Amino acid sequence: MSIIQAEHIMETHPEHARAPHDSKYANGSAFIQDHYCSVDEAGIPITDMGFLHADAAYDVVSVSRGHFFRLDDHIERFELSCEKFVLTNPYSRAETAEILTNMVKLVGVKDAYVWWCVTRGTNSNGDRSDLAGFQNKFYGFVIPYMYIAHDAERSRGFDVIVSKEFIRIPARSVDPTAKNLHWMDMKLSLGEALLSEKDWSVLTDEEGNLAEAPGANIFFIKNGEVYTPDSGCLEGITRKTTLELCAELGLPTHVEKVTADQLRDADEAFITSTAGGIMPINSVDDIVFGGTGGPGPLTATLHNLYWEKRWDGWLATPVDYDTPVNTESK
Amino acid sequence: MSIIQAEHIMETHPEHARAPHDSKYANGSAFIQDHYCSVDEAGIPITDMGFLHADAAYDVVSVSRGHFFRLDDHIERFELSCEKFVLTNPYSRAETAEILTNMVKLVGVKDAYVWWCVTRGTNSNGDRSDLAGFQNKFYGFVIPYMYIAHDAERSRGFDVIVSKEFIRIPARSVDPTAKNLHWMDMKLSLGEALLSEKDWSVLTDEEGNLAEAPGANIFFIKNGEVYTPDSGCLEGITRKTTLELCAELGLPTHVEKVTADQLRDADEAFITSTAGGIMPINSVDDIVFGGTGGPGPLTATLHNLYWEKRWDGWLATPVDYDTPVNTESK
């Protein structure tokens, strides 16, 4: 089964055509604490602890064909992330949804990558240890939709490595279920993958249990059953979506401790992310799944079903591009 | 022995009086990629990976009585941090020193907290995995000197806890010898300390070996000998300084694996940081060192020697406040 060329469709299909927008938002829009601006102008104050200490929670939701996907789920997860890090979103859930929607409208894109966060902010009394003394701040931006894996890469499948140099930051250090800015382990494992001429990496914990890939959850399929780690990873919305799609297809799923060895012994594998959906893996540590190149058949089915259902309006929230945004108000 | 009231001296002694400065730099100065500005105006572009992924190396050096302390050591460590994270400082070491010096001159303070970093930056080709495709960026700021522990706190000694909830991010995830923005484990352990009405926290690795405190190295003294962890922590410049002061005082030092149990059984303890120097600990997990409150005698000696030698010009680089900075050039 061939992979839906989602990126090509987004670039060419009339339903994805960009709505009229102010040229200042050509590259994207942003919301900085209390006002909208272009992404090019958007700055984080250099003394905000969100920058100095990666002291923040964030989330990313996508828009395709002018509809958010699972917007409520993303906002719900974001609020839980904030709670785990003792952060308070200065905006209500409804206000957050409004800000995200307005940012999309300003850019006019029908396919959008929507990023937002709440940071610790700055502390007027200068006492770093007094977390309650900080005024938490909201920042966000919207840019045209971004792919971890492009059409060509999804069609042939990623070649990945299990990182030998790095383990994922453990939950007892930084809770991975609270979406956070602590990425250095993942970034450097990407460098390790590139050095061996591979596309992406997967990290384990120190005992070799699979954790997650940079910005993505890891899945594999063995004898028609689907496996993904139960811990040490973000509880991805695309991961949750994939488990639901598996149920719809009658594929048994196992959310449990799984090892890198099990991944290497699998029949198929893929990663999932808001930035790219379901992305097939071709090989891991030079072991080509199924012995032949390309996405496995169940992976391809899941991949295509994901885009078909999304474009069919599943769990979608429409963006009304016709009503103008008042950038003077919040 | 009483603790030198360094903060009080800095606020009142004529050698610490602030030099003339443009009022726009009242709160501090900054350098953003290629230009100087006030710290209030300084912003990090929201899509810079230094913010989005804590993908950066940084360092902090201090100025007291108009002199940098160990400036070359800090710049040397910073360059090593960059190397470990595959980052390239766009400025040479001499240019870096010049930028740091100019930022101090703009603020006019004789006692300064000097922060700078190099981030991954943004990638024009949009490929996140291609680390070499990013243009690394330099950012810095200078504010009046900042204390982790004020005079009163240093005089009575910090009450600290060994965190039960959090372990320090392990070196196999993010190398702590490369000074980095990954602080959430440390920040939340401070919250844990505050909940038990303590001043500061210390983190261990998962086996109970001491790692470091938020922004500081941990030391303890047992039977006149000084101990500090050999791994799992930043190789602090104040830590290095303290080891040298111990040698000067004839105190044997042990840089080795040490446990939280050894700390609890110690005679004295302290933390060290550029932001505050040598800071005495009064108690750990409610165990008061030496059975009586206040800094231990060797700790007090080290504390005072640190400030005496600094103000005597030890390893100092003077700042020439009289020559104006050309803020139009780099």
Side-chain angles (χ1 to χ4, degrees):
Chain A
M1 177 188 286
S2 66
I3 290 282
I4 287 180
Q5 302 296 295
E7 191 177 15
H8 179 70
I9 292 169
M10 289 181 188
E11 283 166 5
T12 54
H13 190 287
E15 286 188 63
H16 298 273
R18 193 163 179 176
H21 58 278
D22 187 326
S23 63
K24 76 182 274 200
Y25 299 111
N27 295 327
S29 63
F31 185 84
I32 302 296
Q33 298 187 10
D34 55 8
H35 66 279
Y36 296 96
C37 62
S38 81
V39 72
D40 309 305
E41 299 166 299
I44 307 297
I46 195 167
T47 56
D48 190 306
M49 287 298 172
F51 174 57
L52 294 182
H53 289 169
D55 194 352
Y58 81 105
D59 216 294
V60 176
V61 62
S62 69
V63 169
S64 194
R65 287 200 183 164
H67 289 72
F68 282 102
F69 183 54
R70 308 194 87 141
L71 178 58
D72 292 343
D73 285 340
H74 282 278
I75 290 178
E76 168 71 18
R77 179 176 70 182
F78 177 69
E79 292 300 323
L80 289 172
S81 296
C82 286
E83 203 174 293
K84 290 167 185 172
F85 289 155
V86 201
L87 292 163
T88 304
N89 186 348
Y91 295 110
S92 68
R93 291 178 191 217
E95 288 170 327
T96 299
E98 189 190 340
I99 293 167
L100 303 183
T101 304
N102 282 344
M103 287 195 294
V104 173
K105 288 166 66 169
L106 289 171
V107 186
V109 284
K110 301 292 173 55
D111 300 280
Y113 179 91
V114 180
W115 188 102
W116 80 101
C117 75
V118 166
T119 68
R120 190 74 59 200
T122 53
N123 187 342
S124 46
N125 73 18
D127 181 352
R128 288 182 169 200
S129 68
D130 178 16
L131 299 188
F134 284 80
Q135 289 200 305
N136 301 167
K137 300 292 185 188
F138 185 107
Y139 304 95
F141 68 89
V142 167
I143 54 175
Y145 187 69
M146 198 166 67
Y147 272 91
I148 286 180
H150 294 288
D151 283 347
E153 292 164 323
R154 282 181 290 105
S155 297
R156 66 173 168 75
F158 263 163
D159 293 314
V160 309
I161 59 158
V162 177
S163 177
K164 293 180 185 65
E165 284 185 52
F166 302 96
I167 57 169
R168 183 66 184 120
I169 294 173
R172 279 197 66 200
S173 295
V174 184
D175 182 352
T177 71
K179 200 163 168 67
N180 65 75
L181 306 177
H182 292 57
W183 269 71
M184 190 61 87
D185 50 340
M186 301 198 282
K187 296 303 276 280
L188 293 181
S189 76
L190 285 177
E192 183 188 354
L194 281 191
L195 277 181
S196 29
E197 298 181 337
K198 298 298 186 292
D199 303 301
W200 216 254
S201 57
V202 180
L203 291 111
T204 68
D205 66 15
E206 62 174 348
E207 287 157 359
N209 298 304
L210 293 175
E212 58 190 332
N217 286 111
I218 176 78
F219 282 79
F220 63 81
I221 303 177
K222 181 71 178 179
N223 299 327
E225 308 203 355
V226 180
Y227 297 79
T228 196
D230 62 344
S231 60
C233 58
L234 179 70
E235 292 172 353
I237 305 292
T238 315
R239 169 178 176 267
K240 175 183 176 174
T241 300
T242 302
L243 293 169
E244 292 172 10
L245 295 178
C246 288
E248 187 172 325
L249 293 172
L251 300 174
T253 55
H254 304 269
V255 180
E256 60 190 40
K257 208 177 267 290
V258 282
T259 66
D261 285 336
Q262 284 177 275
L263 171 63
R264 284 184 281 256
D265 186 47
D267 301 325
E268 305 182 25
F270 55 90
I271 57 174
T272 63
S273 170
T274 289
I278 293 171
M279 297 168 281
I281 296 177
N282 179 60
S283 72
V284 60
D285 293 343
D286 286 318
I287 303 164
V288 178
F289 290 113
T292 57
L298 292 172
T299 302
T301 300
L302 285 163
H303 172 278
N304 291 353
L305 187 58
Y306 172 83
W307 288 111
E308 284 159 6
K309 286 184 70 93
R310 279 198 63 174
W311 290 338
D312 204 36
W314 186 40
L315 297 167
T317 305
V319 176
D320 172 9
Y321 292 87
D322 297 329
T323 332
V325 178
N326 179 358
T327 55
E328 296 308 307
S329 81
K330 178 188 66 255
Chain B
M1 175 187 288
S2 66
I3 289 284
I4 287 181
Q5 303 296 295
E7 190 177 15
H8 178 71
I9 292 169
M10 288 181 188
E11 282 166 6
T12 54
H13 191 287
E15 285 189 63
H16 299 272
R18 193 163 177 174
H21 58 279
D22 187 326
S23 64
K24 76 181 275 200
Y25 299 110
N27 296 327
S29 63
F31 185 85
I32 302 296
Q33 298 187 10
D34 55 8
H35 67 279
Y36 297 97
C37 62
S38 81
V39 72
D40 309 305
E41 299 167 301
I44 307 298
I46 195 167
T47 56
D48 190 306
M49 286 298 172
F51 174 57
L52 295 183
H53 290 169
D55 194 353
Y58 80 105
D59 217 294
V60 176
V61 62
S62 68
V63 169
S64 194
R65 288 199 182 166
H67 289 74
F68 282 100
F69 183 54
R70 308 194 89 141
L71 179 58
D72 291 345
D73 285 340
H74 282 278
I75 290 179
E76 169 71 16
R77 178 177 69 180
F78 177 70
E79 293 300 323
L80 289 172
S81 296
C82 286
E83 203 176 292
K84 289 167 185 172
F85 289 155
V86 200
L87 292 163
T88 304
N89 186 348
Y91 295 108
S92 69
R93 291 178 191 217
E95 288 169 328
T96 298
E98 188 189 341
I99 293 167
L100 304 183
T101 304
N102 283 343
M103 287 195 294
V104 173
K105 289 167 66 169
L106 289 172
V107 186
V109 284
K110 301 291 173 55
D111 301 280
Y113 179 91
V114 181
W115 188 102
W116 80 102
C117 76
V118 166
T119 68
R120 189 74 58 198
T122 52
N123 186 342
S124 46
N125 72 20
D127 181 352
R128 289 181 168 201
S129 68
D130 179 16
L131 300 188
F134 284 79
Q135 289 200 306
N136 301 168
K137 301 292 184 190
F138 185 108
Y139 303 95
F141 68 90
V142 167
I143 55 177
Y145 187 69
M146 196 166 69
Y147 271 93
I148 285 181
H150 295 287
D151 283 348
E153 293 165 322
R154 282 180 291 105
S155 295
R156 65 174 167 76
F158 264 164
D159 293 313
V160 309
I161 60 159
V162 177
S163 177
K164 292 179 186 66
E165 285 185 51
F166 302 96
I167 57 169
R168 182 69 181 116
I169 294 172
R172 280 198 64 201
S173 295
V174 185
D175 181 352
T177 69
K179 199 164 168 69
N180 65 75
L181 306 177
H182 291 59
W183 269 71
M184 190 60 86
D185 50 341
M186 301 199 282
K187 296 303 276 281
L188 294 181
S189 76
L190 285 177
E192 182 188 355
L194 281 191
L195 276 181
S196 33
E197 297 180 339
K198 298 298 187 293
D199 303 301
W200 216 254
S201 57
V202 180
L203 291 110
T204 69
D205 66 15
E206 62 173 348
E207 286 157 0
N209 298 304
L210 293 175
E212 58 190 332
N217 287 111
I218 176 79
F219 281 79
F220 63 83
I221 304 178
K222 180 71 179 178
N223 299 327
E225 310 204 353
V226 180
Y227 297 79
T228 196
D230 61 344
S231 59
C233 58
L234 180 71
E235 292 172 352
I237 304 293
T238 314
R239 169 178 177 267
K240 174 182 177 176
T241 300
T242 302
L243 293 169
E244 292 172 12
L245 295 177
C246 288
E248 187 171 326
L249 293 171
L251 300 174
T253 54
H254 304 269
V255 181
E256 60 190 40
K257 207 176 268 288
V258 282
T259 67
D261 285 337
Q262 283 177 275
L263 171 63
R264 284 184 282 256
D265 187 48
D267 302 324
E268 304 182 26
F270 56 88
I271 57 175
T272 63
S273 171
T274 290
I278 294 172
M279 296 168 281
I281 295 177
N282 178 60
S283 72
V284 61
D285 293 343
D286 287 315
I287 303 164
V288 177
F289 291 112
T292 57
L298 292 172
T299 301
T301 301
L302 285 163
H303 172 278
N304 292 353
L305 188 57
Y306 172 82
W307 288 111
E308 284 159 8
K309 286 185 67 94
R310 278 198 63 173
W311 290 338
D312 205 37
W314 185 40
L315 298 167
T317 306
V319 175
D320 171 10
Y321 292 87
D322 298 328
T323 331
V325 177
N326 179 359
T327 54
E328 297 307 307
S329 82
K330 174 187 77 257

